[in-house]
């Protein structure tokens, strides 16, 4: 069940609730900008593209440090600890910015370049799409089942006891849904509520989740621009912003699910790891983002491993071609280190938590059942997956457009970059397929999760879309020039 049948009545919107919601976003965005300022590949980006990575880095940086401090050292998750962890990266970022800033004579302004009007209209349309979920988050109560019954409850346990090792999780006499699930987002939600003194039943964390849509679209803009240039990037980002599922579906910006955040962490990590120019700094940033994926959902672990394997293939290809310049093992090591640390941290946290009320697909997975189910259930899985993929009310035909553009610009798939990102985008679907192969309620599970798997692989797939679109646009421009 993805939605509850009755929702509570909306509370009046007050200036205090709006300030707390937006403050919860700033609590992670500002330290994230500090982190980004310390990483050369990110600070060189334009502000909108940098903001996407900054918000994600802020969430995983603040949440990850507090997780470590609480679990290993017993630091209470209260305002003093939160303030220290949030202020330090801001100060370091400001110091780094000030040291690099040098007064210089003003350059000659040069000829005035008029902004392309259709690009401005596209940017306004994307902004309007993002304002819708934000307004809903500020005005309406949370309505999704998992957000209220599972992740919101976990956030309440963490906040009440001031620790990620809450006794209700460690005592199996308490019935808790998914007690061993990665806790990054409930922890971040509890941090935002604690910082701004939210009441027990106040939902001043809604904008925190809605902001992941903005971050996701900025990451899409950056990844597609790297792969196909500015024109294809803005068109792709506009197409990516339109499907209603991202805003209002189960797992979208108006929910408290973790799928949109996972899509952001995994997508940003793959862009920096598989598209950006390799360097230790870009590898470390990618590793931190993939670590965020591991701490966000169970699927994050195999997604992070898949991204690192694709990076290893990229490393081997470049080392076999000396003319291209090898990024060196330092790049890969910098990416792998944060992921390995988080794996160890999460395993240490789970040891003391008895598992209950959890499907535990990975624990029940056997290769014989997997291969048998993946084949014998094809007549059930394929029609259901296609039905949800092309559901008009959720996607507005995006995947039809996706296939059409890929067919029109198929030569772009010859590029190693496009092939890497296509594989990265299909990994979540493969994870879903494995779950459906062993599930005892396969039809219901597909309806509940398939679109969320599409969301998780969305950023890499948009990069492939933009590469094909850019190829088509260049071919069209060349034809026009020849005919003129």
């Amino acid at each position: 069940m993805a939605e509850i049948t009755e929702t509570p009545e909306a509370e009046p919107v007050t200036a205090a609730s709006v300030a707390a919601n937006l403050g919860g976003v700033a609590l992670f965005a500002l330290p994230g900008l500090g982190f980004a300022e310390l990483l050369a590949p990110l600070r060189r980006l334009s502000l909108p593209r940098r903001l996407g990575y900054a918000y994600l880095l802020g969430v995983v940086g603040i949440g990850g440090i507090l997780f470590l401090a609480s679990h290993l050292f017993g630091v209470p998750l209260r305002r003093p600890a939160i303030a220290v962890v949030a202020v330090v990266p801001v100060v370091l970022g400001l110091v780094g910015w000030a040291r690099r800033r040098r007064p210089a004579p003003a350059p000659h302004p040069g000829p005035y370049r008029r902004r392309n009007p259709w690009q401005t209209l596209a940017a306004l349309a994307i902004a309007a799409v993002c304002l819708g979920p934000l307004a809903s988050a500020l005005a309406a109560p949370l309505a999704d089942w998992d957000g209220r019954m599972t992740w919101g409850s976990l956030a309440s346990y963490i906040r009440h006891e001031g620790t990620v090792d809450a006794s209700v999780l460690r005592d199996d006499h308490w019935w808790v849904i998914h007690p061993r699930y990665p806790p990054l987002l409930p922890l971040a939600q509890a941090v935002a509520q604690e910082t701004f003194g939210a009441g027990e039943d106040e939902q001043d964390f809604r904008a925190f989740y809605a902001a992941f849509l903005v971050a996701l679209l900025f990451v899409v803009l950056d990844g597609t621009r790297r792969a196909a240039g500015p024109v294809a990037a803005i068109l792709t980002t506009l197409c990516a912003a339109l499907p209603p599922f991202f805003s209002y579906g189960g797992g979208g910006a108006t929910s408290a699910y973790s799928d949109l955040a996972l899509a952001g962490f995994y997508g940003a990590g793959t862009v920096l790891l598989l598209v950006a120019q390799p360097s230790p700094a870009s590898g470390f940033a990618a590793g931190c983002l993939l670590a965020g994926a591991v701490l966000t959902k169970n699927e994050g672990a195999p997604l992070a491993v898949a991204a690192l394997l694709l990076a290893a293939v990229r490393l081997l290809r470049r080392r076999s071609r000396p003319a291209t310049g090898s990024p060196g093992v330092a790049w890969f090591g910098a990416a792998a280190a944060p992921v390995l640390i988080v794996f160890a941290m999460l395993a240490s946290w789970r040891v003391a938590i008895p598992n209950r009320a959890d499907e535990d697909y990975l624990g029940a997975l056997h290769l014989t059942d997997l291969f048998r189910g993946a084949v014998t259930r094809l007549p059930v899985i394929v029609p259901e997956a296609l039905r949800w993929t092309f559901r008009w009310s959720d996607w507005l035909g995006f995947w039809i457009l996706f296939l059409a553009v890929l067919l029109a610009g198929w030569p772009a798939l010859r590029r190693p970059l496009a092939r890497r990102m296509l594989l990265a985008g299909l990994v979540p679907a493969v994870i879903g397929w494995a779950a459906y192969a062993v599930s005892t309620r396969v039809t219901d599970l597909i309806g509940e999760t398939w679109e969320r798997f599409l969301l998780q692989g969305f950023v890499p797939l948009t990069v492939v879309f933009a590469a094909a679109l850019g190829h088509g646009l260049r071919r069209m421009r060349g034809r026009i020039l020849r005919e003129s």
Side-chain angles (χ1 to χ4, degrees), residues 133-147:
L134 178 60
S136 177
L138 295 176
L142 187 64
D144 60 272
W145 173 266
D146 279 0

Side-chain angles (χ1 to χ4, degrees), residues 85-104:
V85 173
V87 168
V88 167
V90 174
V91 172
L92 291 177
L94 287 173
V95 170
W97 174 81
R99 292 184 62 181
R100 279 184 293 274
R101 191 165 177 260
R102 296 286 187 273

Side-chain angles (χ1 to χ4, degrees), residues 36-407:
E37 184 65 27
L38 301 176
L39 297 166
L42 297 183
R43 69 169 174 262
R44 295 177 185 140
L45 298 176
S46 62
L47 181 60
R49 294 154 67 196
R50 196 188 329 154
L51 272 173
Y53 294 103
Y55 187 69
L56 296 168
L57 283 173
V59 173
V60 68
I62 301 302
I65 293 170
L66 289 173
F67 184 106
L68 181 69
S70 174
H71 177 61
L72 294 185
F73 305 106
V75 175
L77 298 175
R78 302 302 182 201
R79 286 180 179 175
I82 295 169
V84 171
V85 173
V87 168
V88 167
V90 174
V91 172
L92 291 177
L94 287 173
V95 170
W97 174 81
R99 292 184 62 181
R100 279 184 293 274
R101 191 165 177 260
R102 296 286 187 273
H108 187 273
Y112 173 74
R113 293 184 178 182
R114 177 181 294 179
R115 183 181 295 272
N116 194 315
W118 69 262
Q119 287 185 327
T120 302
L121 289 174
L124 291 174
I126 294 168
V129 169
C130 293
L131 286 175
L134 178 60
S136 177
L138 295 176
L142 187 64
D144 60 272
W145 173 266
D146 279 0
R148 293 178 65 188
M149 295 298 294
T150 307
W151 317 127
S153 298
L154 179 54
S156 297
Y157 305 148
I158 292 173
R159 185 186 176 196
H160 176 72
E161 297 195 33
T163 175
V164 293
D165 299 314
S167 59
V168 70
L169 300 178
R170 295 184 163 211
D171 186 349
D172 60 4
H173 290 90
W174 294 98
W175 191 80
V176 179
I177 303 174
H178 307 306
R180 304 177 73 190
Y181 216 79
L184 177 61
L185 262 63
L187 170 59
Q189 175 183 322
V191 166
Q193 291 178 295
E194 178 69 18
T195 300
F196 296 97
E200 186 175 346
D201 295 323
E202 292 177 341
Q203 297 182 351
D204 292 347
F205 55 83
R206 298 292 309 285
F208 162 74
Y209 287 96
F212 281 107
L213 175 61
V214 182
L216 181 80
L217 293 176
F218 282 148
V219 170
V220 167
L221 179 65
D222 180 57
T224 54
R225 187 183 178 93
R226 292 175 189 268
V231 176
I234 194 69
L235 289 174
T236 302
T237 307
L238 177 60
C239 294
L242 295 180
F245 182 78
F246 291 153
S247 299
Y248 306 105
T254 54
S255 76
Y257 283 51
S258 303
D259 299 275
L260 193 60
L262 179 60
F265 287 127
Y266 177 61
T270 55
V271 168
L272 293 180
L273 202 58
L274 305 178
V275 180
Q277 185 67 24
S279 70
S282 66
F284 180 72
C288 290
L289 293 162
L290 293 175
V294 175
L295 282 174
T296 297
K297 290 201 74 175
N298 279 341
E299 301 95 293
L303 289 178
V305 170
L308 290 174
L309 288 175
L310 289 170
V313 173
R314 184 188 187 192
L315 175 63
L316 292 174
R317 284 179 58 90
R318 291 177 66 94
R319 289 176 70 88
S320 65
R321 300 178 181 180
T324 63
S326 172
V329 178
W331 165 71
F332 184 81
V339 177
L340 294 175
I341 290 171
V342 162
F343 268 123
M345 215 167 72
L346 196 57
S348 171
W349 175 73
R350 284 171 166 165
V351 164
I353 300 176
N355 201 17
R356 64 265 195 203
D358 188 275
E359 295 89 348
D360 193 17
Y361 289 112
L362 293 178
L365 193 62
H366 299 92
L367 287 179
T368 54
D369 297 334
L370 173 62
F371 290 128
R372 182 171 60 249
V375 175
T376 59
R377 294 184 177 184
L378 277 174
V380 176
I381 296 175
V382 171
E384 282 296 304
L386 291 175
R387 182 166 73 89
W388 289 99
T389 299
F390 298 107
R391 194 182 190 199
W392 184 265
S393 60
D394 285 346
W395 297 100
L396 297 181
F398 173 83
W399 296 109
I400 298 174
L401 177 64
F402 178 86
L403 293 175
V405 170
L406 247 63
L407 287 173

